[in-house]
Amino acid sequence: MERKSNLKVSFLKSVEEDIQKLWEEENMGQANSNSTGDVKGSTKKFFTCFPYPYMNGRLHLGHTFSLSKCEFMIRFKKMQGYEALFPFGFHCTGMPIKVCADKLSREIQVYGNPPIFPNEDGNMDEGGDRNDRQADVEEEVIIKDKSKGKKSKTAAKSTGHVYQWDIMQSLGIPDEKIPLFAEPAQWLEFFPPLAVKDLKRMGIYVDWRRSFITTDANPYYDSFVRWQFKTLKERGKIKFGKRYTIFSIVDQQPCMDHDRASGEGVGPQEYTLVKLQLQEPYPEPLKSKVKKDDKIFLVCATLRPETMWGQTNCWVHPDILYVAMRNNLNEIFIGTQRCFRNMGFQDILDSGAPAVATIRGTNLIGTALTAPLSHKTVYVLPMLTIKATKGTGIVTSVPSDSPDDYAALTDLKKKKALREKYGVTDEMVLPYEPIPIIRIPDLGDLAAVTVCEEMKIQSQNDTEKLREAKEKIYLRGFYEGVMIVEGKYSGWKVQDCKKPIQQDMIEAGEAILYYEPEKMIMSRSGDECVVALCDQWYLDYGDQEWKSEARASLNQIKLYHDEVKKNFEATLDWIREHACSRLYGLGSRLPWDETWLIESLSDSTIYMAYYTIKHVIQGEGLYEHGGSVPLEHLTNEVWDYIFFLDSKYPSDSQIDKEILERARREFQFWYPVDLRTSGKDLVQNHLTYFIYNHIAIWPTEPEKWPKGIRANGHLLLNSEKMSKSTGNFMTLNDAMDTFGADAMRLCLADSGDSIEDANFLVAVADSAILRLYTFLEWIKDITGDTNSLRQAAAPEFEFQDSYFVNLMNSLIAQSEIHYEKMEFKEALRTSFFEMQSARDTYRELVGPNNMLSSLVLLFIETQALILAPVCPHISEYIWRRILKKEDGVMSHGWPKVAEVDKIVLSSGDYVVQTVHHFRVRLSTFGKGRKKGGKPIPVTKPTEGTIWVAKTYPQWQFIILDRLMKEWKELHVIDNKKMAIALAQIPELKKHQKKVMPFVQKAKERIDLVGPDLALKTTVDFDEVDVLQKNLAYFKSSLDLNTLVIRLVEEADDIVKEDCCPGAPLISFAESPSSPTSC
């Protein structure tokens, strides 16, 4: 729904522009080391950063959500008195920019400038239809979610892809400027300043002097990265050799996470490629295409070589077209074209060699095979669930431990018509029974048979049940299974013998290693990636000593969520080598082999150190290269001196010594990184590498290792994934145009703090506009007419004043805890929503014209201060423009509070809760009364009596005491057990009918206020005194002429039963002579 008026948001935007000018003049965010002599310094500091975003598009709300965690925290820490640093850089390393620039260049070469593209009929689409096509471009691939690979409407047309020209138009770039982006340098010059502009408009607390771009386009940063890699190599962390890696055939180089259009985080999957040799006679067309002495194998990719003793047959899909290829050992392998595409890059066969033959699956069915470790002869049988996109398209069958195999084999045995359809004879199927090979506790020696019978699986078409059965068997088989086959592995645990069995088969020539991607991976160049055995430089993250140090470091890092630590631990379990070099893209060159570029994840691990000294070495501008240190003087010895505390001053350095000392002090003061925030998807790569590389660069200085990492979920927009293709997408600039900065920031804080996906709701952002605008208007009104407020000094505080002060102090303390824990949704609740509610409660308790002037001013100041991390523009505007304070809201600091008086706080809460309870009772007054079957008209009551109990009746006291003992022991109250226990107490005999209802009421109150309050037998304050001090409020709130307070001892038995300490009862009367308890 469109907003009826933009008046309020326009006003808030004008406030933001005013405050941003003020901040610009005051150099907000700039932070310098407070050290002068000792490089370690003494001032407390806080250094946070966010993974520098990739500069091939504008920042979107997903970026903004993650970086907002840094932003809220740095402002909070600054207010706590820390020297606070939040630098922000821009990443340009890698393939995406180069790919997009090259794609645009090709389009201009092929289709002209401006280009005329083919339309859906295959004809050339003249410029007149450009706007129509532009309207169809809904997928902005250069800033889309990496996990998406959806095509836009343009992509769905005849050409099958989105034109880069269209994408550039969708970014708002004029046609005459688009050709400039055929050069990668244009991207580096265009997008970073836009990001700076958007972030400044957001009000981010950043030291912009430390900003930079990556790649060798920034020779200073390039020098830093090359020094880093030289150091890593000298320390044995970088190695060279053949390694299995994800590979782009189009790009002819490894395809790392940041080079992928889809499949981020997916790695190579190792298989054992089992060789099942064909027995003669061979099927056609193989028979006529092979030589007499050729060995021909069906190859099956399995994850479970230890089960090969249980083979009873081999499965193929009747309709798949298989290929026969000659491998490097002159053997003939039969599999899918896709698997041979992988093998061609793994030194198994020559991918460019011609196929020996192609053969349909139906022609292979019935072929006799020799299966390693099992029957001398098994047969090829049909299975219709095989996919050509996984493994080799050929599956070996182990029905003892595979539910799918058992169900398919049983189908063939039961269904003669099925056998006849595919030409399968009885002797190929009927003699073969599941072979016991692994014993699993509770599942026996034939786990698949047991589970299929238990789950009543009828056929191979029971796909859901089979999936469940597989999950039930496979993990238990691996971790609990014991081998029962005869031979050397008898009695071995499955998890212990898997690798040795694989090695035995390889050495016997019965199998080879084979890899393919765990899932489909598409490179940014548009090809499906393979696994290749490449010569490459790699970081040896599998090194056990390095890995152990990473685990030790992880245990010292504040992670905020247990699940994040589990994800890190899982990553450290599986992580091995990481290819750190490539041949195509943008970046820095390996210093010892300049044919290679350093890939984008590898140059992004310790760059936080460069933030600390960039403005000293390189200069203060984003693109400045003319700093106080000439580039050629930045030797490895200079970098060592800056970053290593035990390095000696480079005596032959031509750099001014004071400049080097300043850079050294800056680094030593700010390091380590206290907090790094990021999306949770980077745990498995970037954030883990971040830990590893800090250990490698500073092995003897663990105090330089990361101190805190906060990972968050992805950001949904209105409960749905953000996607340009659906129109559910918003850039940072769009959000600020729509809501202004502070309303957007408030909504980001409200979106969620857990590791699960957060949710940015437009309705919340719109309501934030109204809340902030209304709050500012109220402040203007109230500060413009303070004479309407009560004037008094602190000693003259009334009860309501004291309650308001303590309520504010309590909320300040709660907010500080939430900010410290990075629970920003909760911090927003206590620092704004509940603070506003506290003001409203105070105003209601005393009346709008009886609020104490000094307390109203204290509330406004406090609200401005504790909301400042989230809504800094509004807070600064209140502080500087309305309250006319000379210092800034950040420099003033977090409000100092006196210790909360819990008695005053609980007594005030008692008043608020009691009046609510009384109002509910008043609303039901007289209802249900009848005379002669007809309702009696209700006259509004004018009198009231509040009944107060100082103690519980003895029988209730006994029950509460028993309940408290039970709770302390078990933290739960069992009704059945409690009823038996209470029935044994003599004092409760005459109250038996009331006992369990009272227990139930007590349990409900535990759920509401907790056991300490619910089971307490007295209150900490004088109820009569508190009620008396607020009697005028009660009378006014209930609209009564008279209201008296009396002790429950004077009441009738019904009131006595229902009234207890902390829960007074009220009775109403229409006239003094006709009381009615309600």
Side-chain angles (χ1 to χ4, degrees):
M1 182 182 293
E2 277 195 30
R3 206 181 288 132
K4 291 182 179 179
S5 169
N6 287 319
L7 177 66
K8 296 179 178 64
V9 73
S10 295
F11 171 72
L12 293 178
K13 286 181 187 177
S14 70
V15 166
E16 290 160 5
E17 288 172 8
D18 172 38
I19 296 303
Q20 285 164 15
K21 288 176 184 175
L22 185 66
W23 288 340
E24 193 78 29
E25 293 169 2
E26 296 176 346
N27 296 319
M28 181 199 75
Q30 289 191 8
N32 296 300
S33 159
N34 257 2
S35 312
T36 50
D38 177 12
V39 292
K40 297 301 289 182
S42 57
T43 306
K44 61 181 183 178
K45 63 87 186 178
F46 189 82
F47 175 17
T48 187
C49 58
F50 163 79
Y52 41 25
Y54 201 78
M55 287 292 99
N56 60 343
R58 296 194 81 154
L59 300 177
H60 55 70
L61 269 186
H63 292 120
T64 313
F65 177 64
S66 291
L67 70 87
S68 72
K69 308 296 184 185
C70 285
E71 163 66 0
F72 300 154
M73 198 64 169
I74 198 70
R75 286 182 174 274
F76 170 65
K77 285 296 180 181
K78 180 65 177 175
M79 294 183 75
Q80 283 189 314
Y82 285 78
E83 289 296 326
L85 175 62
F86 180 14
F88 208 103
F90 303 99
H91 202 198
C92 305
T93 304
M95 289 178 55
I97 289 174
K98 177 69 170 163
V99 167
C100 293
D102 288 353
K103 186 179 176 186
L104 183 62
S105 178
R106 288 194 297 269
E107 288 174 7
I108 293 171
Q109 289 173 16
V110 174
Y111 300 112
N113 181 15
I116 302 173
F117 296 116
N119 62 22
E120 56 189 319
D121 299 319
N123 299 318
M124 301 310 285
D125 188 3
E126 298 285 347
D129 291 326
R130 298 298 301 147
N131 291 333
D132 293 336
R133 185 189 302 109
Q134 177 56 33
D136 283 336
V137 178
E138 296 178 349
E139 178 93 43
E140 182 183 316
V141 296
I142 51 179
I143 56 175
K144 69 181 181 180
D145 187 315
K146 296 185 182 74
S147 68
K148 296 180 175 62
K150 295 180 180 178
K151 295 181 179 179
S152 70
K153 291 180 181 177
T154 301
K157 292 185 178 181
S158 59
T159 54
H161 66 277
V162 179
Y163 291 111
Q164 189 65 40
W165 187 281
D166 288 336
I167 294 168
M168 305 312 291
Q169 285 184 322
S170 75
L171 293 171
I173 299 170
D175 280 13
E176 64 272 16
K177 298 287 187 182
I178 292 176
L180 298 174
F181 289 85
E183 290 296 328
Q186 179 65 16
W187 298 71
L188 277 58
E189 295 169 7
F190 183 80
F191 285 110
L194 273 183
V196 172
K197 179 182 176 183
D198 289 346
L199 291 167
K200 284 186 174 181
R201 189 178 166 201
M202 178 187 171
I204 194 170
Y205 193 85
V206 161
D207 187 343
W208 294 109
R209 300 172 304 161
R210 301 171 189 263
S211 296
F212 59 87
I213 64 168
T214 66
T215 77
D216 52 8
N218 179 353
Y220 283 82
Y221 182 73
D222 180 67
S223 174
F224 166 77
V225 171
R226 288 161 68 92
W227 162 80
Q228 172 195 346
F229 267 71
K230 179 177 178 294
T231 304
L232 288 170
K233 188 170 185 292
E234 287 174 349
R235 293 177 180 175
K237 305 303 183 184
I238 297 178
K239 298 176 182 177
F240 186 80
K242 286 188 177 294
R243 288 295 181 273
Y244 291 100
T245 189
I246 303 298
F247 188 84
S248 165
I249 298 174
V250 169
D251 298 324
Q252 283 294 296
Q253 66 174 7
C255 185
M256 299 296 102
D257 274 1
H258 284 189
D259 305 328
R260 301 174 188 177
S262 65
E264 186 171 355
V266 177
Q269 174 67 63
E270 180 187 280
Y271 289 93
T272 304
L273 199 70
V274 180
K275 298 158 63 175
L276 285 79
Q277 187 168 357
L278 273 69
Q279 299 177 10
E280 296 191 64
Y282 301 143
E284 288 292 356
L286 276 178
K287 191 173 182 180
S288 59
K289 299 288 182 70
V290 299
K291 301 173 184 175
K292 185 177 180 181
D293 57 349
D294 277 338
K295 292 182 178 179
I296 308 170
F297 299 91
L298 293 189
V299 285
C300 307
T302 181
L303 296 171
R304 306 193 65 196
E306 74 282 0
T307 65
M308 291 303 98
W309 279 275
Q311 295 175 90
T312 59
N313 60 279
C314 176
W315 303 112
V316 298
H317 194 295
D319 299 330
I320 290 178
L321 186 65
Y322 293 95
V323 181
M325 294 285 291
R326 199 172 291 277
N327 68 17
N328 292 342
L329 298 176
N330 207 31
E331 301 167 331
I332 294 175
F333 281 1
I334 298 175
T336 59
Q337 183 64 50
R338 175 186 170 278
C339 78
F340 291 135
R341 185 169 177 263
N342 272 275
M343 291 184 202
F345 290 89
Q346 296 176 28
D347 292 347
I348 297 173
L349 51 79
D350 181 359
S351 59
V356 174
T358 57
I359 182 168
R360 189 71 60 182
T362 50
N363 294 337
L364 287 170
I365 293 171
T367 302
L369 307 169
T370 302
L373 306 181
S374 187
H375 292 279
K376 288 185 178 179
T377 299
V378 298
Y379 293 91
V380 179
L381 301 177
M383 179 183 267
L384 301 179
T385 56
I386 291 175
K387 296 178 180 178
T389 55
K390 190 75 173 175
T392 63
I394 299 170
V395 180
T396 188
S397 175
V398 184
S400 59
D401 289 81
S402 167
D404 289 315
D405 293 342
Y406 178 69
L409 185 63
T410 303
D411 275 356
L412 280 170
K413 285 190 173 194
K414 287 181 179 178
K415 300 172 182 178
K416 185 175 182 180
L418 184 61
R419 298 199 297 273
E420 290 176 348
K421 178 180 178 180
Y422 292 106
V424 175
T425 63
D426 289 355
E427 60 267 23
M428 296 176 185
V429 178
L430 298 182
Y432 294 90
E433 296 294 334
I435 303 168
I437 53 173
I438 296 172
R439 180 170 295 149
I440 304 173
D442 302 325
L443 298 181
D445 299 349
L446 298 170
V449 179
T450 301
V451 173
C452 285
E453 289 175 353
E454 285 178 354
M455 297 180 66
K456 296 182 170 55
I457 293 171
Q458 300 300 314
S459 78
Q460 59 188 308
N461 296 322
D462 292 342
T463 52
E464 192 58 35
K465 284 186 177 181
L466 284 168
R467 182 191 58 77
E468 187 180 338
K470 187 188 296 185
E471 289 175 357
K472 186 178 291 187
I473 291 172
Y474 278 23
L475 278 179
R476 289 197 59 193
F478 182 75
Y479 289 108
E480 300 176 39
V482 176
M483 301 296 294
I484 58 173
V485 294
E486 292 184 8
K488 68 177 182 179
Y489 293 111
S490 180
W492 281 49
K493 285 190 172 183
V494 169
Q495 59 181 318
D496 295 333
C497 68
K498 181 175 181 174
K499 275 292 180 184
I501 290 171
Q502 179 195 62
Q503 192 58 40
D504 285 353
M505 293 184 72
I506 291 171
E507 290 175 0
E510 297 169 333
I512 60 173
L513 284 182
Y514 166 68
Y515 286 79
E516 64 179 43
E518 294 168 307
K519 298 176 183 176
M520 182 183 287
I521 300 170
M522 298 301 294
S523 77
R524 291 184 183 272
S525 297
D527 67 318
E528 182 182 346
C529 294
V530 297
V531 173
L533 189 58
C534 297
D535 279 329
Q536 58 187 274
W537 294 100
Y538 62 92
L539 284 152
D540 189 11
Y541 291 140
D543 178 83
Q544 287 305 311
E545 183 179 351
W546 200 5
K547 185 172 289 202
S548 296
E549 290 175 317
R551 286 195 173 100
S553 174
L554 181 66
N555 289 330
Q556 303 303 314
I557 297 174
K558 186 174 182 178
L559 295 173
Y560 298 91
H561 292 294
D562 290 340
E563 186 179 338
V564 173
K565 184 167 186 179
K566 290 177 183 175
N567 290 345
F568 268 115
E569 289 170 341
T571 300
L572 289 173
D573 284 342
W574 63 255
I575 196 169
R576 296 293 182 269
E577 300 89 357
H578 173 74
C580 59
S581 57
R582 65 155 62 83
L583 299 170
Y584 174 81
L586 305 179
S588 298
R589 299 278 170 183
L590 280 177
W592 60 88
D593 186 352
E594 298 206 353
T595 58
W596 295 93
L597 285 161
I598 297 167
E599 65 91 26
S600 59
L601 280 170
S602 300
D603 84 338
S604 309
T605 56
I606 67 159
Y607 69 88
M608 313 85 203
Y610 189 71
Y611 279 138
T612 65
I613 54 93
K614 180 264 176 183
H615 61 306
V616 179
I617 299 294
Q618 182 178 341
E620 297 186 357
L622 177 60
Y623 296 105
E624 189 170 344
H625 297 157
S628 51
V629 177
L631 181 65
E632 61 273 16
H633 294 167
L634 283 174
T635 62
N636 290 319
E637 291 71 26
V638 167
W639 289 118
D640 286 348
Y641 182 71
I642 291 172
F643 292 121
F644 298 151
L645 198 55
D646 58 355
S647 286
K648 295 180 179 179
Y649 179 78
S651 56
D652 60 346
S653 175
Q654 300 179 48
I655 302 171
D656 185 324
K657 185 174 182 180
E658 178 48 38
I659 293 173
L660 272 188
E661 293 297 339
R662 182 186 168 200
R664 184 174 165 92
R665 285 197 302 270
E666 284 282 320
F667 170 72
Q668 295 293 343
F669 177 78
W670 289 114
Y671 239 61
V673 176
D674 297 289
L675 171 68
R676 188 155 179 77
T677 72
S678 169
K680 62 183 179 182
D681 53 312
L682 294 190
V683 168
Q684 63 195 357
N685 43 58
H686 166 74
L687 292 174
T688 299
Y689 306 160
F690 168 58
I691 295 171
Y692 265 102
N693 282 265
H694 274 79
I695 293 167
I697 296 296
W698 291 279
T700 62
E701 297 181 70
E703 66 273 13
K704 296 292 193 302
W705 300 354
K707 296 300 179 188
I709 297 173
R710 170 66 155 79
N712 52 262
H714 300 296
L715 185 70
L716 305 178
L717 179 57
N718 289 329
S719 305
E720 294 181 2
K721 291 183 78 170
M722 283 205 294
S723 170
K724 287 287 284 185
S725 63
T726 63
N728 193 52
F729 187 84
M730 194 174 285
T731 65
L732 170 56
N733 186 58
D734 293 337
M736 292 186 293
D737 281 347
T738 308
F739 311 112
D742 275 6
M744 176 200 71
R745 292 169 64 113
L746 187 150
C747 191
L748 288 169
D750 188 65
S751 295
D753 297 310
S754 76
I755 196 68
E756 302 304 321
D757 289 348
N759 193 12
F760 186 99
L761 294 169
V762 166
V764 172
D766 276 334
S767 69
I769 294 170
L770 179 60
R771 284 178 181 272
L772 295 173
Y773 178 84
T774 303
F775 180 47
L776 284 181
E777 290 299 299
W778 176 80
I779 294 175
K780 290 177 185 176
D781 291 343
I782 206 79
T783 54
D785 185 19
T786 54
N787 292 329
S788 63
L789 302 174
R790 177 165 49 96
Q791 309 294 323
E796 300 174 47
F797 275 5
E798 296 179 1
F799 170 84
Q800 296 86 353
D801 303 329
S802 296
Y803 174 55
F804 186 34
V805 169
N806 277 277
L807 192 53
M808 285 194 289
N809 286 343
S810 174
L811 291 172
I812 293 168
Q814 290 177 57
S815 299
E816 187 166 17
I817 291 170
H818 291 315
Y819 276 123
E820 196 71 63
K821 292 181 177 180
M822 297 189 76
E823 297 170 346
F824 299 119
K825 186 179 179 75
E826 291 301 299
L828 182 64
R829 175 179 60 80
T830 53
S831 70
F832 185 57
F833 298 132
E834 291 190 9
M835 274 291 286
Q836 296 285 301
S837 179
R839 175 206 58 188
D840 296 344
T841 298
Y842 176 57
R843 181 168 52 191
E844 185 180 336
L845 285 171
V846 299
N849 296 322
N850 200 35
M851 292 190 292
L852 189 59
S853 176
S854 60
L855 286 192
V856 170
L857 184 61
L858 176 63
F859 164 76
I860 294 170
E861 291 179 354
T862 301
Q863 180 66 97
L865 290 169
I866 65 176
L867 184 60
V870 175
C871 297
H873 302 91
I874 296 296
S875 293
E876 196 79 74
Y877 181 80
I878 294 168
W879 196 257
R880 306 278 279 272
R881 301 303 192 217
I882 298 178
L883 300 180
K884 307 297 183 184
K885 303 281 188 179
E886 291 187 5
D887 60 342
V889 71
M890 301 299 293
S891 56
H892 180 84
W894 190 259
K896 294 179 174 60
V897 296
E899 186 176 350
V900 175
D901 188 327
K902 293 182 180 179
I903 302 298
V904 172
L905 196 61
S906 59
S907 59
D909 292 342
Y910 163 86
V911 170
V912 173
Q913 293 162 9
T914 299
V915 77
H916 171 72
H917 178 64
F918 287 178
R919 283 173 181 156
V920 172
R921 288 193 168 239
L922 179 61
S923 69
T924 62
F925 174 75
K927 289 184 179 179
R929 287 192 293 168
K930 295 182 179 180
K931 187 174 183 180
K934 294 181 179 181
I936 301 173
V938 179
T939 304
K940 182 177 174 296
T942 58
E943 316 291 338
T945 301
I946 299 176
W947 302 99
V948 180
K950 297 263 186 183
T951 61
Y952 279 93
Q954 181 64 17
W955 69 275
Q956 292 180 353
F957 181 89
I958 291 170
I959 293 172
L960 291 172
D961 184 61
R962 184 58 184 258
L963 290 176
M964 179 58 85
K965 289 176 181 175
E966 186 79 2
W967 184 270
K968 285 182 177 178
E969 183 180 347
L970 302 174
H971 295 289
V972 68
I973 294 171
D974 182 278
N975 278 10
K976 188 175 180 181
K977 181 180 175 184
M978 187 54 60
I980 295 170
L982 295 176
Q984 310 304 314
I985 301 175
E987 292 89 341
L988 302 182
K989 294 291 184 184
K990 64 178 181 179
H991 302 285
Q992 273 306 319
K993 290 185 179 180
K994 300 177 184 177
V995 168
M996 289 314 295
F998 182 75
V999 169
Q1000 189 57 36
K1001 275 188 177 180
K1003 287 179 66 177
E1004 290 170 2
R1005 189 161 164 74
I1006 288 173
D1007 292 338
L1008 191 66
V1009 299
D1012 291 338
L1013 284 177
L1015 304 179
K1016 199 170 185 179
T1017 55
T1018 59
V1019 293
D1020 295 326
F1021 52 86
D1022 187 333
E1023 286 187 69
V1024 173
D1025 180 59
V1026 170
L1027 291 169
Q1028 194 66 51
K1029 288 176 179 176
N1030 291 277
L1031 202 57
Y1033 167 59
F1034 279 97
K1035 282 175 64 178
S1036 171
S1037 183
L1038 300 170
D1039 196 19
L1040 298 174
N1041 293 334
T1042 59
L1043 183 63
V1044 296
I1045 303 168
R1046 298 170 70 179
L1047 294 177
V1048 76
E1049 286 79 3
E1050 304 173 41
D1052 58 32
D1053 288 343
I1054 295 176
V1055 172
K1056 286 179 181 177
E1057 289 296 326
D1058 290 341
C1059 191
C1060 60
L1065 194 69
I1066 190 167
S1067 58
F1068 296 107
E1070 298 168 15
S1071 67
S1073 59
S1074 57
T1076 301
S1077 178
C1078 182

